[in-house]
Amino acid sequence: MPSFIVPMAIRYVLVSLAITVVITAVVTGLMTFGYMSDKPSSLSHLVVMGAGMWAGVYFAKQAGRPAEWRECFRIGALLTVLQIAFSAVVTIGFLLLPGGGLEEIQANLDPQLIGVLTAVLIVTGLIYWVGTAGFIRIGSKSALAKKKG
């Protein structure tokens, strides 16, 4: 791991938070004014893309070279764990709010559903990992290409 992994991880979480807040505000605004009738379920990939690209740019600035694939996957694993932990904290925070739906979830919790949800979370984590690694690589290469051109 590079020596600048801690500042990179902190910035990654902050960028993830910023992207999440912006997406939430835009979707809420669109729903409030009637341009959308339901919340889209596939916007979380934008967080992985944006934060991963930013991490790649930060890597290139610090290391002065593009990240190698093996580095991307190692760094991506750490950042994915942070992203999943961050997402879990945000989700639990919203569930604990009055009317957040925690009671409904507890009432409908069944052991078979827990297994399915666990499988979905594992697959999602793998997609986040590969996506983060790929966007770290793309971000690091594009930062250096922009610097040369």
Side-chain angles (χ1 to χ4, degrees):
M1 289 286 182
S3 61
F4 51 85
I5 191 68
V6 172
M8 176 190 272
I10 291 168
R11 287 176 172 94
Y12 179 87
V13 170
L14 293 175
V15 169
S16 295
L17 176 63
I19 293 171
T20 301
V21 168
V22 168
I23 289 172
T24 302
V26 168
V27 169
T28 301
L30 290 173
M31 289 177 68
T32 300
F33 294 108
Y35 293 105
M36 292 174 68
S37 60
D38 198 14
K39 296 176 190 167
S41 62
S42 61
L43 290 178
S44 64
H45 69 280
L46 294 176
V47 175
V48 172
M49 291 169 58
M53 283 286 287
W54 184 90
V57 169
Y58 184 79
F59 182 96
K61 286 181 181 178
Q62 296 299 315
R65 61 177 177 80
E68 296 176 19
W69 278 111
R70 68 184 190 312
E71 292 174 310
C72 293
F73 281 106
R74 281 197 322 249
I75 294 168
L78 173 68
L79 298 180
T80 299
V81 168
L82 288 174
Q83 179 65 38
I84 290 170
F86 170 71
S87 297
V89 167
V90 169
T91 301
I92 291 169
F94 280 116
L95 287 174
L96 293 176
L97 291 173
L102 183 61
E103 298 82 18
E104 185 180 328
I105 289 173
Q106 288 175 333
N108 296 321
L109 207 55
D110 121 23
Q112 193 173 19
L113 180 62
I114 292 172
V116 170
L117 288 175
T118 302
V120 167
L121 289 174
I122 289 171
V123 170
T124 302
L126 290 173
I127 292 169
Y128 275 17
W129 176 48
V130 172
T132 300
F135 281 100
I136 289 170
R137 175 81 171 169
I138 291 168
S140 68
K141 289 182 85 170
S142 67
L144 293 174
K146 184 178 179 183
K147 200 176 191 179
K148 288 180 185 177

